[in-house]
Amino acid sequence: MKMQEYNKSKNSRQEADRIKGEQHFSVVGYQSGTEIKMRKKHDESKMDRGISLLVSIILIFLFFGAVVFSVSHRISEEMAASATQNLNESLDLIKCTIEAILNKEAEYQRLMAQGIAEMEEPEEYVRKYKRSGTMMKIGLIRSGETEGVCSTGEVFTEEGLDFSTGGTIDGLPVSQSYLNYMGTWAYCIKCPVVKDGREIAMLYIEYIYDSFDKSLPEGFYNKKAMLYIMDAETERFVLKPKGMGERSAGHLNLSDFYRANDIQEENLREDVDACLAENKNIMFYHDIRNKDSLNYMWSVNNGTLYLIGYVPIDAIQQEGRSVNHSILVVVTIMLIAFFLCCLIYYLNQRQQIKLRKEREEEREISNRRLAEALQAAQIASNSKTMFLSNMSHDIRTPMNAVLGFTTLLARDAENPDKVREYTKKIMASGQHLLSLINDILDVSKIESGKVVLNVEEFTLNDLVSSVDAIIRPMAAAREQKFFLEVAGIKHESLMGDETRINQILINLLSNAVKYTQTGGSIWLRIIGLKQRSNQFEHLRIEVQDNGYGMTPEYLETIFDAFTRAENSTTNKVQGTGLGMAITKNIIELMGGTIEVTSEVNKGSLFRVDLEFRIPEGQADKLFWEEKGISRILVADGDAGVCENMQALIENVEVEADTVQSLEEVLSLLKACDQAQNTYDVLLLGSNLSETGTLQAVKRIREEAGDALLILILAEHEEAGLENILQTENTGILMKPFFASAFKEKIREMRAELTQAGESDGKDKNNLEGLYFLAAEDNEINAEILREILLFENARCEIVENGQIAVERFAESKEGEFDAILMDVQMPVMNGYDATRAIREMEREDARSIPIIAMTANAFAEDEREALHAGMNVHLAKPVDIDMLKKVIREYTKRE
């Protein structure tokens, strides 16, 4: 019974739970359905709001569009009216200018007539009158006569001058326009010459219309307007001012103007004729060359002259279109910004406030960083571009020679002669590059434009060789021919700034290479001019090419900074536009002059005149005696080589013979062999033998043997030079001929002959056994210095800064160190303070020990500061090893 009650109770509870669950499910289902309906209704509401927002935006766009269109239309009308008014004012200005010129001419003619009236012989005054830029001819006819005198010398009559139109200028009759004897449009004004109230003569003066050009404006409406000056009576166009419109349009008269511009309407031409007849101004619209234009005819000087021309409507409305375009851009940006703001607002409503704030903060930070980065990048880019564009030309030129000859050095490493030649040219180009770097780093010098000349002795041979080493590879790369010519030079050793002269030549020649077409030719000529003083050599340097040439307009600004000649042929040539300005400043600083002539598509010629002081005692009279040379034979077809050789041995006890053919050479050598009086040196031109220079040398060797020193004077491009060098006691001397190069080659070849016997000798500048204290904070520089001294069998102790150097010197024994090598820029204590501290020590060797500055501070003021601090000598980095050895040996004295 109880079990049945329990089961019944259990079943009742389960049923109740089932019913309760069904009720809960019904409630949840109802709630879910309600939420779905509410969400759907919310989505529909949001869609309705989105559509309303879209419609609102479209209406705003339409409203703004209507406003912009209305404003643009009104601005266009106002700008057109303003432009037309500006055209009226411009024409009135030109009219007033021309009338002022005419009135001034009439006023001046009256004054001249008054002056002539007071003269006793006015005809003589007229005959001697010289024409000016305005008055071409003056005539004078006495009253009652038909002929008179003229400033050009012939008999003057009024024949050919038409004063019948009645035109006047300030009350004086003016003739119709006519072509004068020079083919220029002109007009004549006559003025009575009155004396004591009686007319005694008539003064006629011819003026030309071309003189108006200097007083008229340089065009208007950006030179798109066309303007002619027309003689009203003959309807001939007497002048088209420069800068007015397209110069290709050259109309002769009004009919030609009508025909060329298709102005054929009868009523319009009738209006124009009426305007001319009634001395009125007129403007009318008409298509000119398929362009809608505003034509004008403007009366000048009461209708004797007219201004004829037109202005394209596009030019008149250009300002209005620019304003409308700007307004349209601004409005478009505003609308886009408004639309983006609405879109961002609509999207951001779906996000959480915290996430939105975080993203806005991130966006602000990112935008700020991007703006800062963009600004920094723009500043860096502008600085880099300016720096590179200004300096790439001057830096790349010697760098090209360094890289080119380095390549050749690797190729010809087994050829000692070429290795020496290439090394010398690489050194010359490197030194030039180093001088350019010094100028770049000297910021104050560049900003102030001040350059200090470093006047030292130099030779023209070294100068020409260094320039040739840089320019010839550049010309060869463009398949150009490079010619060197030297003539009339009396002194090859001169006083001057070789680096600056080198810079002048490289600037001129590198420009010639760049602005000359592939396969063209370039000439460098160094010409000795007549000396103005025995102490100075007067030189003329000419750089010529047959390249693109320059226009007369560019020649007027060629020496201004940042200017380059550009046209369809040369606009790809890169350059700073500073080269010619720098060149001119350096030449003027040297007291010289530079001038240029050029013709488009025919080439350019730069001519530089300079004077250099001749150093005293430059003649080396002992050279020939030391080298054992008493007789020289010169065999060359170039008379200049023979003259230079004669000048070389002048006042020296050396005999020199000159011949013009190989047969004469062989004949002289044979005669000398028989007389046992041989030549010591033979200078042989490569142009003497038709069979080739090598065969000529072989024939000479057969006759004279191997003892004769033979130098071949050859061109740079000449083939077969390598085979000649294989011949014993034979060398190559490149043209142009320099006496210094000739002697240097003799020294070189004689040194090679004695090199084996002197190989055991020691370098007089060796550093073996010396002990140095070096202050250098840069590890790489310290390692280089240690290896250099170790290679020279010298020892060194290197410290990190000036303070340690002072302490180490104070701890050392007297005489322990032979010299101190001191860097300047170091931490703790710099080189200057360290040097002062050492010099102030109470030791005998503190004031005598050599202290040598080795620093990258390479300018004149740095050297002065080093010497002022107590250093003995200043060496700039990169250090020249030979110079370092020489300086150390000079300033180190041992027991």
Side-chain angles (χ1 to χ4, degrees), residues 123 126-127 138-143 145-151 153-158 201-202 204:
E123 288 83 357
V126 171
R127 290 192 187 96
I138 296 178
L140 182 70
I141 300 177
R142 290 281 188 176
S143 296
E145 298 180 4
T146 60
E147 295 181 349
V149 296
C150 181
S151 60
E154 71 268 11
V155 176
F156 182 80
T157 65
E158 196 174 313
M202 187 65 69
Y204 299 81

Side-chain angles (χ1 to χ4, degrees), residues 463-576:
L463 175 67
V464 172
S465 297
S466 63
V467 172
D468 182 80
I470 295 173
I471 299 301
R472 191 170 294 278
M474 295 174 57
R478 293 173 57 87
E479 300 179 3
Q480 296 168 342
K481 295 181 180 180
F482 179 46
F483 301 97
L484 267 171
E485 300 175 10
V486 178
I489 304 298
K490 296 182 179 179
H491 304 87
E492 295 181 13
S493 294
L494 303 170
M495 299 296 295
D497 191 332
E498 184 177 6
T499 300
R500 297 301 179 188
I501 304 170
N502 190 294
Q503 185 177 357
I504 292 170
L505 293 177
I506 289 177
N507 276 344
L508 295 176
L509 288 168
S510 61
N511 280 342
V513 172
K514 288 194 303 180
Y515 291 98
T516 299
Q517 66 279 2
T518 301
S521 298
I522 298 165
W523 293 265
L524 170 60
R525 305 184 189 95
I526 301 180
I527 305 168
L529 303 179
K530 183 178 180 182
Q531 291 179 259
R532 300 171 182 170
S533 169
N534 293 332
Q535 298 179 348
F536 290 88
E537 181 78 12
H538 191 190
L539 297 183
R540 170 166 293 172
I541 300 171
E542 292 184 350
V543 175
Q544 185 176 4
D545 62 73
N546 59 356
Y548 307 129
M550 293 171 282
T551 62
E553 293 78 12
Y554 177 67
L555 287 177
E556 297 178 359
T557 61
I558 185 174
F559 295 114
D560 295 342
F562 301 104
T563 59
R564 280 197 314 119
E566 293 190 4
N567 54 45
S568 61
T569 306
T570 65
N571 57 9
K572 294 184 180 180
V573 177
Q574 301 299 318
T576 64

Side-chain angles (χ1 to χ4, degrees), residues 115-241:
I116 289 175
E118 301 299 327
M119 296 179 183
E120 294 181 359
E121 296 182 0
E123 288 83 357
E124 187 66 21
Y125 170 77
V126 171
R127 290 192 187 96
K128 292 183 178 181
Y129 187 85
K130 304 296 183 181
R131 72 180 186 186
S132 64
T134 303
M135 296 185 296
M136 295 290 100
K137 183 168 64 174
I138 296 178
L140 182 70
I141 300 177
R142 290 281 188 176
S143 296
E145 298 180 4
T146 60
E147 295 181 349
V149 296
C150 181
S151 60
T152 58
E154 71 268 11
V155 176
F156 182 80
T157 65
E158 196 174 313
E159 182 180 356
L161 300 177
D162 188 357
F163 292 92
S164 62
T165 58
T168 61
I169 298 176
D170 194 19
L172 297 182
V174 60
S175 71
Q176 291 184 10
S177 302
Y178 59 91
L179 285 171
N180 64 8
Y181 69 96
M182 295 189 301
T184 302
W185 282 102
Y187 58 93
C188 184
I189 301 177
K190 64 180 181 178
C191 175
V193 180
V194 180
K195 183 176 183 180
D196 298 330
R198 180 175 59 87
E199 180 180 323
I200 64 173
M202 187 65 69
L203 175 64
Y204 299 81
I205 298 182
E206 179 186 280
Y207 303 88
I208 59 173
Y209 287 101
D210 287 347
S211 61
F212 292 170
D213 256 346
K214 298 179 181 178
S215 302
L216 296 180
E218 289 289 335
F220 51 98
Y221 287 103
N222 295 326
K223 298 186 178 180
K224 294 182 180 179
M226 178 63 69
L227 174 66
Y228 287 97
I229 298 178
M230 182 186 76
D231 182 76
E233 185 65 25
T234 62
E235 296 185 356
R236 294 296 299 265
F237 290 172
V238 296
L239 178 65
K240 181 188 178 193

Side-chain angles (χ1 to χ4, degrees), residues 8-107:
K8 185 176 181 181
S9 174
K10 182 178 179 181
N11 292 335
S12 299
R13 287 197 302 273
Q14 291 178 348
E15 182 68 17
D17 291 340
R18 184 183 65 79
I19 295 173
K20 185 176 180 181
E22 291 179 352
Q23 291 176 347
H24 176 72
F25 179 78
S26 299
V27 172
V28 172
Y30 174 77
Q31 290 177 347
S32 300
T34 303
E35 290 178 356
I36 291 172
K37 291 180 180 179
M38 291 180 63
R39 189 178 297 111
K40 185 176 181 180
K41 190 173 183 180
H42 179 69
D43 292 341
E44 292 176 353
S45 176
K46 288 177 63 179
M47 184 178 294
D48 292 339
R49 289 199 302 271
I51 294 174
S52 300
L53 179 61
L54 179 62
V55 171
S56 300
I57 292 175
I58 292 174
L59 291 176
I60 292 174
F61 278 15
L62 294 175
F63 174 74
F64 271 104
V67 172
V68 170
F69 176 79
S70 176
V71 171
S72 299
H73 184 68
R74 188 177 73 254
I75 289 177
S76 296
E77 292 179 348
E78 292 177 354
M79 294 297 290
S82 176
T84 304
Q85 180 63 29
N86 290 339
L87 176 59
N88 289 341
E89 294 175 357
S90 298
L91 293 173
D92 285 337
L93 177 61
I94 296 174
K95 168 188 173 180
C96 293
T97 301
I98 294 175
E99 290 179 346
I101 294 173
L102 295 174
N103 290 334
K104 286 293 183 181
E105 291 173 349
E107 181 181 354

Side-chain angles (χ1 to χ4, degrees), residues 340-393:
L340 290 176
C341 290
C342 293
L343 181 62
I344 292 173
Y345 175 80
Y346 176 75
L347 295 175
N348 285 345
Q349 293 303 311
R350 301 172 60 184
Q351 300 176 355
Q352 298 179 1
I353 297 176
K354 181 178 180 180
L355 180 61
R356 182 181 61 195
K357 290 182 178 180
E358 292 177 352
R359 289 184 177 179
E360 287 178 352
E361 291 176 358
E362 292 176 356
R363 188 181 298 110
E364 290 177 359
I365 294 173
S366 177
N367 289 339
R368 185 167 58 252
R369 289 177 179 175
L370 287 174
E372 293 174 354
L374 177 60
Q375 184 178 6
Q378 289 175 341
I379 294 174
S381 177
N382 292 338
S383 301
K384 179 195 71 173
T385 301
M386 180 64 69
F387 176 80
L388 292 179
S389 64
N390 284 347
M391 299 314 305
S392 72
H393 172 269

